[in-house]
Amino acid sequence: MIKITEQPFDPWQELSSFQLAMRRDGEFGACANFIGTMRDMNEGDAVSGMVLEHYPGMTEKHLDKIIAVAKDKWDLLDTLVIHRVGKLLPNDPIVLVAVWSVHRKDAFEASRFIMEDLKSKAPFWKKEAVKSSGQQTEKNRWVEKNTSGY
Amino acid sequence: MIKITEQPFDPWQELSSFQLAMRRDGEFGACANFIGTMRDMNEGDAVSGMVLEHYPGMTEKHLDKIIAVAKDKWDLLDTLVIHRVGKLLPNDPIVLVAVWSVHRKDAFEASRFIMEDLKSKAPFWKKEAVKSSGQQTEKNRWVEKNTSGY
Amino acid sequence: MTQTKAELTMTIKVLYFASLKELLGCGEESISAEAVKTVEDVWLLVSQGKNISQQVLYSVNQEYAEGDALVKAGDEVAFFPPVTGG
Amino acid sequence: MTQTKAELTMTIKVLYFASLKELLGCGEESISAEAVKTVEDVWLLVSQGKNISQQVLYSVNQEYAEGDALVKAGDEVAFFPPVTGG
């Protein structure tokens, strides 16, 4: 399942409900998941807020595709991807990627694969409100590029 | 934190409470975690229950050591490892490994490293109650070896 | 402006995101499909006169595309900077 | 049996886990430290007469050890099969 949401989400509650709704009790031996959370610092500057823009339509299409690729490469029982858009505050969860499988290798590798693809290709853009040290006023700046996680 | 427990645990609740108690709001950008859950099938046979034995003292000592190694290799903010012992039923969570860090690479790699070390070296042993297909009676058998997750 | 059905089928929908939307002062526009063959043609047309030095990514019908990808009337073309989600 | 303090300090505590505990019919015993130098010596002593074909891992004072690791009075030595946790 893929969810793009403007509402804050609790990753643990989402994981708990989704796993229950999967109705795969006794089948899955492994769940690997990743949660990306907004920090209050970036590149040495204090960050007080963020606006996350995306490309509605292409976002879902791209995530669907990458999940299909992952299901092709690994034996997966189910996947859950949630991504926040709109206005965010520090400590807000931004993204959740979770993968259920029979054996751990599949869950570990697929969760990282989906997350890395999302970071490098899914059409989301962050604009953060920052106050550089020594400066009084806040400025908005676009985050320029995600770094590779490998 | 390391917990060895005879009581069933809810991984999502444990993650939620631990993360709150960490008091690292705004600091962590990444949390990677893994949950191993008891399946109702193993090697083609139906499994109805399991007893997990461990070596009290060495278990904690070994897990402490591997977490120290992980903290040395990667930049980690905190870690949580929970392992169930005693009597388990299918669908019971067996193990939780969670890692918090500033950047995702550290969390992804450290969580997998800790989990693989735990599977290959931490002194736990599983005895499962199985009913082979076509058989009427249940038998207890020791699980012989964990396979590598890489 | 209101477009007739005939006009609509002769146009390409062009979208801009993030910093590019700000630089171009526009999020969406329609251009005639007649003067353009490739995505690169569309980009040269819509960015002309603007001094855009940053890296620009292309998509056609919501899939990444190279500059030489062909476009036709009815397509949705988008231009955006490197992505920064997750 | 009750041991005096002098006897305790002359002994090695030996533990068995999982299938080995079942095979040896015992989870814990004390042996005299006098007749043994290495973990391997301890294992040969406690397993003698038992036909144990499976792989056995050793630990001394709750850390993995090779067969030639030295042991002394007061040590805790353990023998167990390959681990299967997680």
Side-chain angles (χ1 to χ4, degrees):
Chain A
M1 185 191 282
I2 293 168
K3 285 195 216 178
I4 309 297
T5 173
E6 295 201 14
Q7 301 306 314
F9 68 94
D10 178 326
W12 320 119
Q13 282 214 313
E14 296 282 346
L15 284 159
S16 180
S17 325
F18 184 81
Q19 186 173 280
L20 209 62
M22 265 170 40
R23 298 184 172 277
R24 294 280 203 162
D25 284 16
E27 277 186 78
F28 60 89
C31 173
N33 65 76
F34 177 86
I35 295 109
T37 300
M38 188 181 157
R39 291 183 300 130
D40 56 17
M41 287 289 286
N42 194 22
E43 295 179 19
D45 299 319
V47 183
S48 62
M50 181 186 276
V51 176
L52 240 157
E53 188 179 330
H54 78 125
Y55 181 172
M58 179 165 172
T59 307
E60 294 81 355
K61 204 166 167 175
H62 185 80
L63 292 175
D64 273 338
K65 194 164 70 182
I66 192 59
I67 287 167
V69 171
K71 285 186 171 168
D72 220 54
K73 282 174 87 114
W74 293 281
D75 269 333
L76 309 183
L77 292 169
D78 218 331
T79 60
L80 173 63
V81 174
I82 303 179
H83 204 294
R84 185 81 184 279
V85 292
K87 291 186 186 173
L88 281 86
L89 293 172
N91 210 43
D92 278 3
I94 301 170
V95 62
L96 163 67
V97 169
V99 172
W100 286 263
S101 60
V102 175
H103 300 293
R104 72 188 184 285
K105 181 184 168 74
D106 301 282
F108 269 125
E109 296 185 357
S111 66
R112 191 165 189 194
F113 174 80
I114 294 170
M115 189 61 206
E116 292 305 327
D117 183 89
L118 184 154
K119 292 283 282 191
S120 65
K121 301 208 198 87
F124 293 100
W125 300 274
K126 285 175 184 150
K127 188 177 202 172
E128 50 189 18
V130 293
K131 199 187 275 180
S132 299
S133 57
Q135 305 264 290
Q136 287 300 318
T137 54
E138 229 174 41
K139 278 187 183 175
N140 292 318
R141 72 175 177 205
W142 290 99
V143 175
E144 287 190 2
K145 210 171 186 339
N146 278 340
T147 48
S148 169
Y150 285 113
Chain B
M1 185 191 281
I2 293 168
K3 285 194 216 178
I4 309 297
T5 173
E6 295 201 14
Q7 300 308 312
F9 68 93
D10 179 325
W12 320 119
Q13 282 214 316
E14 296 283 346
L15 284 159
S16 182
S17 327
F18 185 82
Q19 185 172 280
L20 209 62
M22 265 170 40
R23 299 185 174 276
R24 295 281 204 160
D25 284 15
E27 277 187 79
F28 59 90
C31 173
N33 65 76
F34 177 87
I35 295 109
T37 300
M38 189 183 157
R39 292 183 300 130
D40 56 17
M41 287 289 286
N42 194 22
E43 295 178 19
D45 299 317
V47 184
S48 62
M50 181 186 276
V51 176
L52 240 156
E53 186 178 332
H54 78 124
Y55 181 171
M58 180 167 173
T59 308
E60 294 81 355
K61 204 167 167 176
H62 185 81
L63 292 174
D64 273 337
K65 193 163 71 180
I66 191 60
I67 287 166
V69 171
K71 284 186 171 166
D72 221 52
K73 282 175 87 115
W74 292 282
D75 269 334
L76 309 182
L77 292 169
D78 219 332
T79 61
L80 173 63
V81 175
I82 303 179
H83 204 294
R84 185 79 185 280
V85 291
K87 291 186 187 175
L88 281 85
L89 292 172
N91 209 44
D92 278 2
I94 302 170
V95 62
L96 163 68
V97 169
V99 172
W100 285 263
S101 60
V102 175
H103 300 292
R104 72 189 183 284
K105 183 185 167 72
D106 301 282
F108 269 126
E109 296 185 355
S111 65
R112 192 166 188 192
F113 173 79
I114 293 169
M115 189 60 207
E116 292 304 327
D117 184 89
L118 185 155
K119 292 281 285 191
S120 64
K121 301 208 199 88
F124 293 100
W125 301 274
K126 285 176 184 148
K127 189 177 202 174
E128 51 190 18
V130 294
K131 197 187 275 181
S132 300
S133 57
Q135 306 265 288
Q136 287 300 319
T137 53
E138 230 173 40
K139 279 188 182 174
N140 292 319
R141 71 176 177 204
W142 290 99
V143 176
E144 286 190 2
K145 210 170 184 348
N146 278 339
T147 48
S148 168
Y150 286 111
Chain C
M1 88 198 146
T2 316
Q3 292 175 306
T4 65
K5 198 172 175 191
E7 277 174 326
L8 262 178
T9 57
M10 301 297 288
T11 60
I12 290 169
K13 184 178 173 185
V14 187
L15 306 173
Y16 312 103
F17 292 96
S19 53
L20 266 191
K21 177 159 77 180
E22 290 180 358
L23 281 167
L24 295 166
C26 161
E28 180 176 342
E29 63 183 315
S30 278
I31 63 162
S32 164
E34 280 175 79
V36 292
K37 277 196 170 160
T38 66
V39 185
E40 191 69 44
D41 293 342
V42 180
W43 177 242
L44 292 173
L45 183 73
V46 299
S47 66
Q48 65 183 325
K50 270 102 177 175
N51 185 16
I52 293 170
S53 58
Q54 69 172 120
Q55 195 191 341
V56 178
L57 303 176
Y58 308 152
S59 72
V60 176
N61 298 328
Q62 307 187 345
E63 293 199 9
Y64 281 100
E66 296 297 318
D68 58 4
L70 300 176
V71 294
K72 58 182 190 309
D75 280 350
E76 177 178 305
V77 171
F79 301 104
F80 45 81
V83 303
T84 57
Chain D
M1 93 200 139
T2 316
Q3 292 173 305
T4 65
K5 200 172 174 190
E7 278 174 326
L8 262 178
T9 56
M10 301 297 287
T11 60
I12 290 169
K13 183 178 173 187
V14 187
L15 305 174
Y16 311 103
F17 292 95
S19 53
L20 266 190
K21 177 159 74 180
E22 290 181 358
L23 281 168
L24 294 167
C26 161
E28 181 177 342
E29 62 183 315
S30 279
I31 62 162
S32 163
E34 280 176 78
V36 292
K37 278 195 170 161
T38 67
V39 183
E40 190 70 44
D41 293 341
V42 179
W43 176 243
L44 292 174
L45 183 72
V46 298
S47 67
Q48 65 184 325
K50 271 103 177 175
N51 184 18
I52 293 169
S53 58
Q54 70 173 120
Q55 195 189 341
V56 178
L57 303 176
Y58 308 152
S59 73
V60 176
N61 298 327
Q62 308 187 345
E63 293 198 11
Y64 281 101
E66 297 297 319
D68 58 3
L70 299 176
V71 294
K72 59 181 191 307
D75 280 350
E76 176 177 306
V77 171
F79 300 105
F80 46 79
V83 303
T84 56

